[in-house]
Amino acid sequence: MMTTLSHTWTILTAVTVLTVHLCEDKRCCNLESSAGIDVLLGSSFRIYCTSLTVPCRKNFYGQNNAPLPHKISNSTTIYYDVVNITEKKTYSCKCLSSGCDSCGQDFSTGYPPECPKNISCTYKVKNSDSGDVNCSWDRGRDTFLKNDLTLEMRILSKNHTHGPMLDSFSSKATAQRSASVPVPGSVLMISVWVHAKNALGSAASIHKNYTLSDIKMPSTPVLRQPDCTSQKCIIPVEQPVMTQHLEIQYRADTQTWTSSPDSGVQMRSVQVASLEPYTLYHFRVRSKFSTGLWSLWSASISSWTEEEAPAKALDVWYAEPASDFRSLTVYWKELSISAAKGKILSYRVRVYSPNSGQNITNVSAEARSYSVPFCAECEVSVWACNSKGSSPPANITSEYTKVKLRHLDPLQDVHKVADNLSVTLSWRKPYAAVRRSVVEWFPKGHTMELRWVGLGRNENHVVITDVKPFECYEGAVYVFYNESSVRRTRFTGVTTLESAPAAVPLVQETVEGKQVRVTWAEIPRGQRGGCLTNYNIYLENQDNQGHRKHYSIQASQREHVIKDLSSGTYKLCMTASTAKGEGPAGKPITFFMQQESQLSPLLVCAVAAPIVVVLVCLYHSSAVKQRFWVYFQCLMLDVVPDPANSKWAKECIQDKGKMNLQLQLSNSSGAEEEEEPILVDVEELPRPTSLSPETETVTVLYPRTTYIKSFSHDSDSSDLRQTSMDTNSTVDYISSHGAGIMDEEEEEEEEEMLGFFPSHNIFIEPLDFGGKLTLNAVKIDCGDFCQNSAF
């Protein structure tokens, strides 16, 4: 037991001795400088390394432990000359033959302090008994070393009614450029200076004398929450010491500070008038004694003024009536904060008609347009409303909607300025006196984004800044001579920055026989790059490589028809262009054109041959030719002579009411004496009314007529005259029954007989012509013939 305890104490003793040995300072050298550790920037000096124990072999080391050349001063000391030091450096020395620690030193470079200058002091009064003198100065150039600055002050005169006090004060400057010294209220005049010192030297400023009444300054005032009406605010002010002057400044958010005249006497509140209603104002204040300096500005405080009813009418305009003239869209601009004089809660739109009275509608505060029923005699009024009332009405009279718009001279110039995204429009001044002008513009095809600006009577140009780059605009210039005389000039294709289109049209094709109809959708607004000038269609025949056609179409078109295409496979692609160039091509569309089917020549011959044979056979039939000739003569009425001019017609006039039908028969024995005329009564047959099933169908070969018709057949040897009376006719015509008298001679004179009227079937019943007919013997009623003949 005792042996174990003895060994434990032996180990503890050894550990303790070893720890003490390790903690001992085993430096074997010392490093010193001839100029100290703070040296002048750019100076030269010498450093020494001296052995502290037995002499040893030593060496100097510089930055990054780099060895330096040295010289031997004696057996225990070596030295190294530092030349033109320009920055902070560290040097060390070490014995090479022993295990002791090296020695070293950091050297700082800099300048001695300069004399402080430009001393400025103020006396800040805290209360009636004391205050602080605050002084600031310019310490000169940076020394790059640690400096000690002290504000020194000596009292030159004081109010002797107070008790004894120190004649001098000092304060160490913690900020290197300012310091504060407390001073009793009885001090009248002081003298101040600043003393500066560092390791390389010291300096002092000149003395400066002050009369405290000239530099005394009140403490900074404190503002409380203002009490505001629509045009005036009263702001409470707190100050620890009574002052004689107060200055207050105010401003709106985006304005500069404006001073209100100071009161000239001590006030616990200040008043600011002539403010704008419903405006956020910021206020600050400062104070001053009868002599001395103004205090610092107080922290600002903010407050809104109250609202008032809007005092300015809205700026209103209107878009052209819809194509159906059923509605009119009225637009208005939002009032500025100063014009609105409050938060706009709604808009009121009234449509007044002399016939139907008025119609009032409330519109939300976010709305900037409203569509009203179109009425040529109506008046539209718009008000802006806040919590205090409504604005004066802005009217659009009926004259606005029914004016006769006449064309102005074209706009002279349209400037496009890409730098500030503006467009300048100018036009020629009209000769007549102008009352005002209005310029409107909107993105092409989007009248809902209408913008406008009003101009005075002498203005003939406007700079438009409310435009977007790479957007195409259109609009118009309205020149008002009076409210009932307006002239308008449209403009289009206005843009600022422009580029080639970034997208392609959406294309669709429809094949229609030998043509293809190409339709496409308009490129989205954000990808047009400005104003489109035209669309391009490229068509390539795949069966005929290298055969490519280009079609340029106006930008306003949405379809195009390509005609007279031959059969084959085609590829079609499309692009769009602006003034800056052509956009990318879309994905090609492939379609096929089929050749129209044609009848086989053999089939055509097979169908045509029987028709030709039938026509040839009919041509050789005399009956068909005769009937065709009759029809042809009937249709050609303009070449038929008028029978009224014949000799027969003249004789008929003399014997009105009777018709003589002379039939001259010839025989082989030569001429015979004329026989007495045979009188034949001609009777019109009634139309059958019904047929019995057992009775054979009776076909009426000739049409019925209400007239008595006369027929004359002349020959060299005989003359047969037939007379009949017809009391219902004023003119005698040839009767269709005349052919029945000659039944006995039908067989002998078949080729010489003339049948004027065909049967119902012209191809079955023969029609014979014979004898000699003269216009003096025949009067043909072709009208009746054509009416009753069966074709």
Side-chain angles (χ1 to χ4, degrees), residues 617-649:
C617 294
L618 293 176
Y619 177 77
H620 287 82
S621 172
S622 60
V624 173
K625 289 192 293 182
Q626 292 171 359
R627 292 177 183 271
F628 174 78
W629 177 252
V630 171
Y631 288 134
F632 180 77
Q633 290 290 339
C634 180
L635 295 175
M636 300 295 291
L637 296 179
D638 54 342
V639 299
V640 177
D642 188 0
N645 297 325
S646 65
K647 181 179 179 181
W648 175 84

Side-chain angles (χ1 to χ4, degrees), residues 567-616:
S567 61
T569 302
Y570 290 85
K571 277 191 175 181
L572 182 147
C573 64
M574 194 168 181
T575 65
S577 299
T578 64
K580 291 297 183 179
E582 187 175 0
K587 184 178 180 181
I589 297 175
T590 303
F591 62 92
F592 181 74
M593 298 293 295
Q594 294 184 350
Q595 187 70 27
E596 292 185 358
S597 60
Q598 298 181 355
L599 294 176
S600 172
L602 182 61
L603 180 60
V604 173
C605 293
V607 174
I611 298 175
V612 173
V613 172
V614 172
L615 293 176
V616 171

Side-chain angles (χ1 to χ4, degrees), residues 73 372 660:
S73 175
V372 298
N660 296 327

